Amino acid sequence: MNGCEEAVEFLPVNNAKKVEKRGPRRWVVLAIVITVILLLSLLAGVLVWHLRGGNVWVQKVFNGHLRIKNENFIDAYENSTTAEFAQLANQVKEALKLLYNKIPALGPYHKESAVTAFSEGSVIAYYWSEFSIPQALVEEAERAMAKEHTVTLPPRQRSHHSFMLTSVVAFPTDPRTVQTTRDSSCSFALHAQGTKTTRFTTPGFPDSPYPAHAHCSWVLRGDADSVLSLTFRSFHLAPCDERGSDLVTVYDSLSPVEPQAVVQLCGTYPPSYNLTFLSSQNVFLVTLITSTERRHPGFEAAFFQLPKLSSCGGYLRQAQGTFSSPYYPGHFPPNIDCVWNIEVPNNRYVKVRFKVFYLVEPNMPPASCTKDYVEVNGEKHCGEKPQFVVTSNSSKMTVRFHSDHSYTDTGFLAEYLSYDSRDPCPGMFTCNTGRCIRKALRCDGWADCADYSDELNCVCNVTHQFTCKNKLCKPLFWLCDGLNDCGDGSDEQGCKCPAQTFKCGNGKCLPLSQQCDGKDNCGDGSDEATCDKVSIVTCTSRTYRCHNGLCLNKGNPECDGIKDCSDGSDEKDCDCGQRSFSRQSRVVGGQDADEGEWPWQVSLHALGQGHVCGASLISPTWLVSAAHCHVDDKGFKYSDPTMWTAYLGLHDQRKRSEPGVQEHKLKRIIRHPDFNDFTYDYDLAVLELEKPAEYSNVVRPICLPDATHVFPAGKAIWVTGWGHTEEGGTAALILQKGEIRVINQTTCESLLPQQLTSRMMCVGFLSGGVDSCQGDSGGPLSSVEADGRIFQAGVVSWGEGCARREKPGVYTKLSEFRDWIKEQTGV
Ligand code: ARG
């Protein structure tokens, strides 16, 4: 290969000399070099200036509104195609031009302005102005536009008064909305008709999806001196994501300006969600901007006008009563102030209980209260709050409510009463919050006052209580039970395992080396449940078994969105445990469920008796329920399938014949053969439907947990049903929901001695208060697991009374029956 080298010819040294000898051209070369250097440095300078934004011009569009003085609103102004509209719009444009010309940061860069609408008051004009501004001046221009200006056009020949604009303000606009104001292919204008409701929808709703990459707008108007109430009855947009999701915005203006946005909505909402909004004037602008290609039905909305409130707030002179934010439970209107002056007889004090309180402002730190707020006793309240009480040290109290120009919420509902100033809680203990509780609840280890004041400064009873570091008293048997009952962890200190060992879920201490080694050393599987690396281990009764027979050391791997088994069997048959709606309502008084929130919940009606038990849907043809619901009693054949009707997709017991609700007859009832009518052991039944159910927004199956699935103590779980709302009370009409927690088995055995079997689990609060009750039996416990999927942890079975202290509800543990259910139903 060295043949190549021979071909290389190096330049002989004497050649260099030859070049140097061409003397006369040297000056030319030098001149060229200097010019090039000069040019290069010029270029660099220009480049630096350019990069700093020197000559970068940006298009900026501002949306704004202004008031025209001395002008009366006429109907023709509502329609942008009339001559009157055009004439007034031209005058406004002329005046705007004049205004911008007086401002150095705006005048030279103004390109175009247009008026998009007028409304009453005396006349308000909505407009946009477009500028092409050097980058460096943008901020200054934005500041100038946001200031309120006034401008006057000198009088013309024919009119003798001058044309005056006041409160001229504008704000930079999301570039996407600009097209909305220019393109009219998806713009609609609607005027409220008398007291009637006007309906409107996204194009094609509900049969075809709303258009992709669309900019739609709806101008809603009412008569002068009215306000509008707008409700979204159905709302299904693409899911919200950080950037570029499809978005509906409602403005308290006819200009799409952010400082007057009332709400921004995306995703889906159940029909029972409170989506009613009030305007402060007689207009609303609704815009829909879509960027995604996904297919969703859109929304259906309706609005009507109502007279503008002449005042809100007032004098409250009764001994007790209620008051609320304007239009509660609709979202309060923007830009309103109300004052309530409460006055009770001289020797008494005032107490106000806020039962519902939602004044949440998006993108604001929660405690700032600079926008919407309630002010009592000089203290401002805002955000979302659980029930709270405010008291006064006199017979008077003033409550103020303020809402600013943007973003509104449900508001508040409050009740006030008077009390004897010398004895605020006759015969009871007074919490520091002002609430009255029974004397016996003081120092009992349970926080009955929301602020724990009933558990402070207590002397614990040493025979059955433990004194926490924070001075709270807790039952002795809670020591070292693996749960932080004191709140400061002191009940779990000193029960730790020695160094180089770890603590099992059941309290055992084992060497660290036994953790995640594939063997169930603890005996409860807890040493193998949370291992980072999923590996194949020896199969035991606590390891998940893939269809190919291999076992995993991972806890609850079914349907968690991660394929753990090499054959993918842990992610098979996962069409379950998902809701159609991405949002759930906040509770506005009570614990009503949302429609579609628990689509697997079934109501079982016995012939001539109405609702008797609950059940859950696990497949198109099978339900899970409690065996005790199907035992013959007092001459009624509850075990006979023909006696029953199952209602699926039901929300309100009075609305069983509404569309969406499915009525099914039962073909078969299979009670667990070991069910014991005395102990309620094996309280489980599966029911076969005569015809398969049709899945829909409100009818869907719940996931069944694998036999190895663990619902650890302390986990929050939901219980649902139409059962009694209190012990000895009456059944609910609307499906109820309650959040309860899994209670450690040993704790529960000590609360319900000799009554618990391994097929049962306790779920509830030891302090009582939330529980299932008569009529909830057979219904599911819904547990949100990894990936947001909902699994059925248990079946409502029995309890001592309902919601009693230290008597939690008892549920059939569903994981114990996975194999039996499979055998009976194939599911
Ligand atoms: N056995 C009752 C029924 O038939 C359910 C009771 C549940 N009780 C309780 N406290 N959790 O509806």
Side-chain angles (χ1 to χ4, degrees):
M1 288 299 275
N2 46 12
C4 289
E5 275 170 30
E6 283 165 26
V8 177
E9 204 186 303
F10 288 97
L11 202 62
V13 179
N14 58 354
N15 273 2
K17 271 193 180 163
K18 269 186 206 161
V19 174
E20 233 179 279
K21 268 189 185 164
R22 289 182 190 150
R25 299 248 172 115
R26 265 165 68 190
W27 294 109
V28 180
V29 172
L30 200 68
I32 290 175
V33 166
I34 290 174
T35 332
V36 165
I37 289 175
L38 278 176
L39 274 174
L40 274 177
S41 48
L42 189 73
L43 198 73
V46 168
L47 210 68
V48 167
W49 182 70
H50 184 92
L51 285 178
R52 283 200 186 149
N55 74 336
V56 178
W57 291 68
V58 283
Q59 297 292 109
K60 271 266 151 188
V61 178
F62 293 83
N63 267 302
H65 52 85
L66 53 86
R67 202 175 281 276
I68 309 170
K69 285 273 277 266
N70 312 321
E71 186 75 36
N72 288 325
F73 191 85
I74 53 171
D75 287 347
Y77 291 158
E78 229 175 78
N79 181 348
S80 60
T81 58
T82 60
E84 290 88 341
F85 185 106
Q87 199 200 345
L88 191 61
N90 277 335
Q91 270 181 293
V92 170
K93 282 200 277 187
E94 207 180 308
L96 283 175
K97 211 159 157 198
L98 187 72
L99 169 69
Y100 296 147
N101 278 338
K102 283 193 270 180
I103 304 169
L106 298 175
Y109 313 111
H110 177 223
K111 287 181 65 187
E112 182 186 6
S113 291
V115 173
T116 54
F118 293 110
S119 71
E120 285 93 342
S122 45
V123 176
I124 299 174
Y126 304 89
Y127 66 95
W128 53 259
S129 293
E130 190 179 344
F131 295 81
S132 179
I133 320 175
Q135 177 75 57
L137 287 179
V138 167
E139 259 182 54
E140 196 180 330
E142 283 181 2
R143 248 178 285 127
M145 291 296 280
K147 241 199 248 159
E148 285 203 18
H149 295 279
T150 298
V151 59
T152 312
L153 277 186
R156 300 270 179 83
Q157 293 96 344
R158 268 182 294 137
S159 71
H160 14 264
H161 63 76
S162 52
F163 184 72
M164 186 176 176
L165 308 185
T166 62
S167 320
V168 185
V169 277
F171 304 93
T173 302
D174 173 346
R176 298 192 296 173
T177 61
V178 178
Q179 283 170 49
T180 321
T181 47
R182 284 186 186 173
D183 160 20
S184 62
S185 64
C186 191
S187 328
F188 309 90
L190 300 164
H191 195 121
Q193 301 292 312
T195 55
K196 276 197 264 155
T197 299
T198 308
R199 191 188 96 104
F200 61 100
T201 67
T202 45
F205 182 89
D207 305 322
S208 49
Y210 58 79
H213 305 288
H215 305 269
C216 297
S217 68
W218 291 262
V219 167
L220 313 182
R221 295 172 183 271
D223 301 340
D225 295 320
S226 68
V227 295
L228 302 181
S229 170
L230 164 69
T231 302
F232 291 92
R233 294 173 172 170
S234 177
F235 197 96
H236 297 268
L237 251 59
C240 307
D241 41 41
E242 298 283 299
R243 291 164 114 254
S245 49
D246 298 349
L247 199 62
V248 164
T249 311
V250 180
Y251 298 95
D252 188 44
S253 164
L254 291 183
S255 268
V257 295
E258 150 81 15
Q260 284 184 302
V262 172
V263 71
Q264 293 200 312
L265 302 167
C266 51
T268 59
Y269 288 84
S272 46
Y273 200 94
N274 167 22
L275 287 176
T276 296
F277 302 91
L278 271 297
S279 66
S280 69
Q281 307 291 331
N282 60 338
V283 294
F284 256 149
L285 173 67
V286 180
T287 62
L288 164 69
I289 296 179
T290 71
S291 31
T292 57
E293 301 272 4
R294 285 169 283 182
R295 299 169 65 80
H296 292 269
F299 67 73
E300 179 194 342
F303 76 105
F304 60 89
Q305 58 183 352
L306 65 177
K308 196 172 183 169
L309 277 182
S310 52
S311 68
C312 72
Y315 287 89
L316 306 176
R317 290 286 137 81
Q318 252 74 53
Q320 64 189 72
T322 60
F323 61 102
S324 63
S325 49
Y327 304 104
Y328 178 88
H331 288 60
F332 52 77
N335 195 21
I336 197 167
D337 281 279
C338 314
V339 181
W340 292 269
N341 286 300
I342 308 170
E343 201 172 331
V344 295
N346 258 333
N347 55 344
R348 299 179 72 81
Y349 286 0
V350 189
K351 179 189 275 191
V352 173
R353 171 175 294 125
F354 288 89
K355 300 173 77 173
V356 178
F357 194 93
Y358 292 118
L359 269 76
V360 175
E361 187 84 27
N363 315 321
M364 288 292 284
S368 63
C369 299
T370 49
K371 290 165 86 53
D372 306 336
Y373 60 82
V374 167
E375 190 181 331
V376 204
N377 291 347
E379 196 188 333
K380 283 184 180 164
H381 301 262
C382 62
E384 176 175 349
K385 292 191 166 200
Q387 192 171 122
F388 67 103
V389 174
V390 190
T391 52
S392 74
N393 286 330
S394 75
S395 58
K396 290 184 188 157
M397 189 190 275
T398 305
V399 178
R400 290 172 206 282
F401 169 72
H402 171 78
S403 86
D404 74 333
H405 290 282
S406 65
Y407 298 107
T408 65
D409 203 344
T410 303
F412 69 84
L413 173 66
E415 70 187 12
Y416 71 95
L417 30 105
S418 66
Y419 64 93
D420 184 344
S421 46
R422 288 153 308 185
D423 184 11
C425 294
M428 297 176 97
F429 173 78
T430 314
C431 299
N432 288 352
T433 56
R435 192 174 156 200
C436 307
I437 60 165
R438 277 186 291 123
K439 279 224 168 95
L441 302 184
R442 167 120 176 89
C443 296
D444 67 347
W446 313 100
D448 299 283
C449 299
D451 64 350
Y452 279 85
S453 50
D454 58 320
E455 295 301 317
L456 299 177
N457 309 316
C458 297
V459 182
C460 305
N461 178 333
V462 285
T463 56
H464 63 267
Q465 284 184 323
F466 163 78
T467 310
C468 302
K469 225 187 195 144
N470 58 19
K471 295 280 171 353
L472 296 178
C473 305
K474 294 286 170 188
L476 259 187
F477 64 84
W478 285 11
L479 264 180
C480 299
D481 67 348
L483 291 175
N484 174 5
D485 302 291
C486 287
D488 60 1
S490 53
D491 55 320
E492 294 303 312
Q493 275 159 18
C495 24
K496 282 217 193 82
C497 292
Q500 298 306 307
T501 65
F502 70 95
K503 195 170 166 196
C504 300
N506 54 15
K508 258 197 214 165
C509 298
L510 289 180
L512 274 180
S513 58
Q514 297 192 357
Q515 214 170 2
C516 298
D517 66 350
K519 284 197 217 91
D520 175 15
N521 307 86
C522 286
D524 65 354
S526 56
D527 54 326
E528 300 299 319
T530 48
C531 304
D532 285 344
K533 216 174 124 267
V534 180
S535 44
I536 295 165
V537 295
T538 337
C539 298
T540 71
S541 63
R542 293 197 166 82
T543 53
Y544 180 84
R545 184 190 284 266
C546 303
H547 286 188
N548 56 15
L550 299 177
C551 290
L552 304 178
N553 69 340
K554 180 180 178 183
N556 307 348
E558 334 94 92
C559 304
D560 65 351
I562 303 165
K563 193 180 131 198
D564 300 299
C565 294
S566 50
D567 61 357
S569 53
D570 57 319
E571 296 300 315
K572 255 189 73 203
D573 303 323
C574 290
D575 180 20
C576 60
Q578 287 175 314
R579 301 173 167 129
S580 305
F581 300 107
S582 54
R583 313 276 175 115
Q584 273 74 54
S585 286
R586 300 183 295 195
V587 177
V588 178
Q591 285 275 19
D592 288 357
D594 278 318
E595 280 175 60
E597 192 177 357
W598 313 102
W600 35 84
Q601 173 79 49
V602 174
S603 166
L604 293 179
H605 283 227
L607 192 66
Q609 303 180 17
H611 171 92
V612 172
C613 271
S616 59
L617 186 68
I618 59 162
S619 82
T621 43
W622 287 97
L623 309 180
V624 164
S625 185
H628 82 256
C629 291
H630 303 282
V631 174
D632 298 344
D633 184 33
K634 298 192 195 95
F636 193 91
K637 288 203 66 75
Y638 291 103
S639 61
D640 177 357
T642 63
M643 295 290 167
W644 293 93
T645 309
Y647 290 94
L648 280 55
L650 187 66
H651 177 65
D652 184 334
Q653 288 287 347
R654 292 161 294 193
K655 299 184 177 164
R656 295 192 301 279
S657 44
E658 295 228 326
V661 178
Q662 298 178 27
E663 192 181 317
H664 288 267
K665 298 303 286 176
L666 298 187
K667 191 198 254 173
R668 228 166 7 136
I669 295 175
I670 309 174
R671 244 179 13 218
H672 196 284
D674 299 328
F675 170 64
N676 182 323
D677 197 15
F678 184 68
T679 61
Y680 273 34
D681 203 3
Y682 295 92
D683 191 9
L684 192 77
V686 286
L687 322 175
E688 190 177 5
L689 299 178
E690 233 175 45
K691 289 202 197 77
E694 252 176 62
Y695 291 168
S696 70
N697 272 346
V698 291
V699 176
R700 266 169 209 279
I702 191 168
C703 298
L704 290 176
D706 185 73
T708 60
H709 201 109
V710 178
F711 298 95
K715 185 168 190 351
I717 293 190
W718 289 90
V719 63
T720 47
W722 288 273
H724 291 188
T725 47
E726 55 188 311
E727 192 175 328
T730 53
L733 292 170
I734 307 277
L735 181 63
Q736 300 291 300
K737 61 175 176 188
E739 197 182 25
I740 48 183
R741 286 177 186 273
V742 179
I743 291 169
N744 167 315
Q745 197 79 1
T746 9
T747 304
C748 202
E749 271 158 19
S750 61
L751 296 171
L752 300 163
Q754 268 121 53
Q755 297 175 72
L756 230 54
T757 70
S758 59
R759 271 76 53 192
M760 302 174 187
M761 64 196 274
C762 294
V763 190
F765 290 102
L766 297 181
S767 51
V770 190
D771 193 7
S772 48
C773 202
Q774 257 48 51
D776 290 321
S777 282
L781 280 183
S782 300
S783 170
V784 184
E785 299 288 290
D787 208 24
R789 230 174 248 279
I790 298 172
F791 279 72
Q792 182 165 358
V795 175
V796 181
S797 180
W798 62 276
E800 267 187 51
C802 300
R804 291 189 196 168
R805 184 171 281 255
E806 305 207 0
K807 298 291 172 204
V810 183
Y811 297 81
T812 312
K813 217 192 253 178
L814 215 60
S815 54
E816 293 285 322
F817 294 93
R818 187 64 193 94
D819 297 337
W820 184 76
I821 295 175
K822 178 96 194 169
E823 275 162 31
Q824 303 303 319
T825 68
V827 181

